[in-house]
Amino acid sequence: MKLALFVGLYLLTTVAIGLFAATRVRSTTDYALAGRSLPLAMVITATFATWFGSETVLGLPGQFIQNGLEGVVEEPFGSSMALILVGMFFARRLYKMSLLTIGDFYRRRYGVSVELMCSIFVVLSYLGWVAAQVAALGLVIHLLTEGWVSVTSAMIVGTIVVLIYTVFGGMWSVALTDFFQMIIIVIGLFIVAYFASGMAGGVEKVGEYASNHDLYKFFPENDFKSWMFWISAAITMMIGSLPQQDVFQRVMSAKTEKIACYGPIIGGVFYLMFASIPMFIVIAATVAQPEMAGKLMSSAPQEILPTFIKEYMPLWLRILFFGAVLSAVMSTASATMLAPTTTFVENVLRNIMPLSDKRELKAMRISLIVFALGVLAYSLSMEGTPIYELAAMAYQFPVIGAFWPLTLGLYWKRSTTIGCWLSIIVGSVVWGVLSFTALGEEFPALLGGFLASGAAQIIGSLLPIKANRECVQTWLENKDKYMYELAH
């Protein structure tokens, strides 16, 4: 119980930091974007910590030890590439528009109807993502208390802790706790990897095991079907993460345009580097304790790493590791709770009722509580589903319904509202047909929906109709104002 006590103190420290950050919140811009004042270091840690969550520390190692690099192409490779792509192609243009949410872009570019639909796609995508963090919190707390606290009760406790500091401090709390938590993550995982390597007989032994079990295999078999499913897995988070509010908030929270661009690129590179550490540790655990790993491999591979640490590491190292795990999970959970609620209030609720800045801030906090309770209920109903699967499922919605309107809206002046609606409808239909019929066994549903969505938007936007001409004309007349106006 000493371990649980130390981790409990860590949780209280995190809450205290988050509540301290809440003293900076005076407006919705402070709450949603930290006043657009974050320096480069905090943007890097915020983008890094967004992805470095339960699926990285718990879900990813289990998936990797079973399927090798080919099985983890969507995470961490896809998600790290998403951050790099955001910094290279999206951050500069979006930062100049001074938007509060990603949904604001859809309203300015295409009108309220597309804003509402794309915002709904974005909000729905967070159910699985946040559920993965809640599930991880439940698993870790359950293990720490040696079963004294059930997984269900642990999920409830973890959700309440994250909710407390996020509901008060918003993005300021997220950014400050992320900075603190990233330090814990990096130090903790490096030291654990060093000790695990020693227990396994050295780095060479770990590498030898990975090589003998073909874990370094990254690309699929050389046939059309295998490549299509590999590409579909790769784009799930690479493309699905681009039109997401949590990534957008970190970019828009930057102090300057350059920081908005460099922050996610550096954060993405760091993320890919550090995501390899849990994969290394789980191989070392398997080499050092083959009987323990063998028992969990088929039934609960995501428990191999935390079980190895809990049963075979000294107390101080267990404290450091589980502190790092909780840091990773809580940082991602807080960000992914905040993102959909700000999108809902700004892009859905504001279209239903007028909101002053004060009322909007209150609405964001209330919506955050409601969303967190909804996700908790969803997580409890999905209890037992692998964390990696929960996280991966989350990003299918924006791949089909939000990516093409964003990308073509930024880079193609002919993109129109009619094209967006055709893109959403056709992409969703194709995805649905492939998902719920035997055709999906021959061609991946996500990739089919993605390609159909893009083709439909181009075709729909090129239709020689009055609505398309008016949409293009309106955008050209207002483009300069939208791209360069600064929010006050």
Side-chain angles (χ1 to χ4, degrees):
M1 295 302 291
K2 287 183 179 180
L3 177 58
L5 177 63
F6 277 109
V7 174
L9 291 173
Y10 171 79
L11 291 176
L12 291 175
T13 302
T14 303
V15 170
I17 293 172
L19 293 178
F20 169 76
T23 60
R24 293 174 173 264
V25 176
R26 298 288 185 272
S27 66
T28 53
T29 302
D30 290 335
Y31 192 78
L33 300 178
R36 287 170 64 98
S37 59
L38 296 185
L40 179 61
M42 293 189 74
V43 174
I44 292 171
T45 55
T47 51
F48 171 93
T50 303
W51 295 139
F52 211 99
S54 62
E55 73 295 339
T56 311
V57 183
L58 299 176
L60 174 61
Q63 182 77 359
F64 171 69
I65 200 67
Q66 285 186 309
N67 304 299
L69 290 179
E70 185 181 351
V72 297
V73 62
E74 59 190 281
E75 170 67 84
F77 294 98
S79 50
S80 60
M81 277 304 302
L83 290 177
I84 294 170
L85 291 174
V86 165
M88 292 176 65
F89 300 108
F90 294 87
R92 190 178 304 278
R93 289 173 180 248
L94 290 172
Y95 191 86
K96 287 179 178 178
M97 296 182 74
S98 295
L99 309 167
L100 190 65
T101 68
I102 194 71
D104 290 348
F105 170 80
Y106 296 114
R107 181 179 66 248
R108 290 187 183 184
R109 187 66 174 85
Y110 304 110
V112 174
S113 63
V114 174
E115 172 196 12
L116 285 170
M117 183 53 65
C118 289
S119 296
I120 290 171
F121 272 106
V122 169
V123 171
L124 287 175
S125 72
Y126 281 97
L127 277 175
W129 188 247
V130 185
Q133 314 314 313
V134 173
L137 284 170
L139 174 62
V140 172
I141 295 173
H142 173 71
L143 289 173
L144 288 175
T145 58
E146 299 180 348
W148 185 72
V149 177
S150 68
V151 174
T152 299
S153 299
M155 284 184 181
I156 296 171
V157 171
T159 301
I160 291 173
V161 169
V162 175
L163 185 58
I164 288 173
Y165 69 80
T166 308
V167 77
F168 287 104
M171 188 60 197
W172 265 119
S173 288
V174 170
L176 204 57
T177 53
D178 280 355
F179 187 78
F180 165 70
Q181 288 162 342
M182 182 181 170
I183 296 172
I184 302 296
I185 291 169
V186 171
I187 295 174
L189 289 181
F190 264 123
I191 296 177
V192 169
Y194 175 79
F195 274 80
S197 174
M199 294 173 68
V203 175
E204 289 184 3
K205 290 286 186 181
V206 176
E208 184 180 327
Y209 179 94
S211 180
N212 291 340
H213 289 77
D214 211 19
L215 296 181
Y216 292 139
K217 183 174 177 288
F218 183 68
F219 294 106
E221 299 297 328
N222 196 23
D223 64 82
F224 179 78
K225 182 178 177 180
S226 297
W227 271 101
M228 290 303 99
F229 277 90
W230 187 88
I231 291 172
S232 180
I235 69 170
T236 299
M237 295 192 69
M238 185 188 303
I239 299 299
S241 303
L242 295 177
Q244 289 287 36
Q245 177 63 18
D246 54 340
V247 177
F248 171 85
Q249 280 180 292
R250 277 139 187 77
V251 172
M252 294 302 106
S253 298
K255 186 188 298 185
T256 67
E257 184 182 313
K258 285 187 177 181
I259 291 175
C261 296
Y262 294 146
I265 293 174
I266 299 172
V269 172
F270 279 2
Y271 174 69
L272 185 58
M273 291 168 54
F274 288 111
S276 65
I277 299 177
M279 291 191 284
F280 174 86
I281 297 173
V282 79
I283 300 175
T286 304
V287 174
Q289 298 296 332
E291 291 186 9
M292 177 274 297
K295 290 178 182 179
L296 294 173
M297 187 73 75
S298 58
S299 60
Q302 65 189 22
E303 294 186 20
I304 293 176
L305 186 54
T307 302
F308 172 67
I309 302 297
K310 181 173 174 290
E311 294 184 1
Y312 300 101
M313 291 282 183
L315 177 61
W316 69 271
L317 203 52
R318 280 180 275 159
I319 293 171
L320 200 57
F321 172 77
F322 283 106
V325 172
L326 286 174
S327 292
V329 177
M330 290 170 64
S331 63
T332 303
S334 59
T336 48
M337 284 183 187
L338 180 64
T341 54
T342 53
T343 298
F344 171 75
V345 173
E346 174 70 10
N347 303 115
V348 178
L349 195 60
R350 280 180 68 93
N351 287 309
I352 300 174
M353 62 176 69
L355 293 172
S356 64
D357 190 79
K358 186 176 181 180
R359 291 183 65 191
E360 185 175 3
L361 180 57
K362 183 178 179 180
M364 285 182 180
R365 285 174 166 149
I366 294 172
S367 299
L368 180 60
I369 296 172
V370 173
F371 181 78
L373 295 177
V375 168
L376 177 60
Y378 175 72
S379 303
L380 294 174
S381 69
M382 296 290 286
E383 187 176 334
T385 303
I387 291 170
Y388 194 91
E389 289 184 20
L390 282 172
M393 286 190 299
Y395 282 83
Q396 297 196 26
F397 292 104
V399 170
I400 298 163
F403 170 75
W404 289 112
L406 172 65
T407 305
L408 294 181
L410 284 172
Y411 283 96
W412 189 39
K413 67 180 180 181
R414 294 290 301 275
S415 184
T416 68
T417 303
I418 297 295
C420 285
W421 275 107
L422 196 62
S423 170
I424 293 169
I425 294 169
V426 172
S428 298
V429 169
V430 171
W431 175 82
V433 170
L434 291 173
S435 294
F436 301 106
T437 68
L439 293 173
E441 297 176 6
E442 300 301 319
F443 195 87
L446 184 68
L447 183 58
F450 172 72
L451 296 174
S453 179
Q457 178 150 355
I458 293 172
I459 293 170
S461 297
L462 292 175
L463 291 175
I465 57 178
K466 181 180 179 182
N468 277 347
R469 291 193 294 270
E470 290 178 348
C471 184
V472 172
Q473 185 63 32
T474 300
W475 171 245
L476 292 177
E477 289 175 355
N478 292 282
K479 182 180 178 181
D480 288 342
K481 181 183 74 172
Y482 287 158
M483 293 302 288
Y484 296 102
E485 68 177 2
L486 296 176
H488 296 287

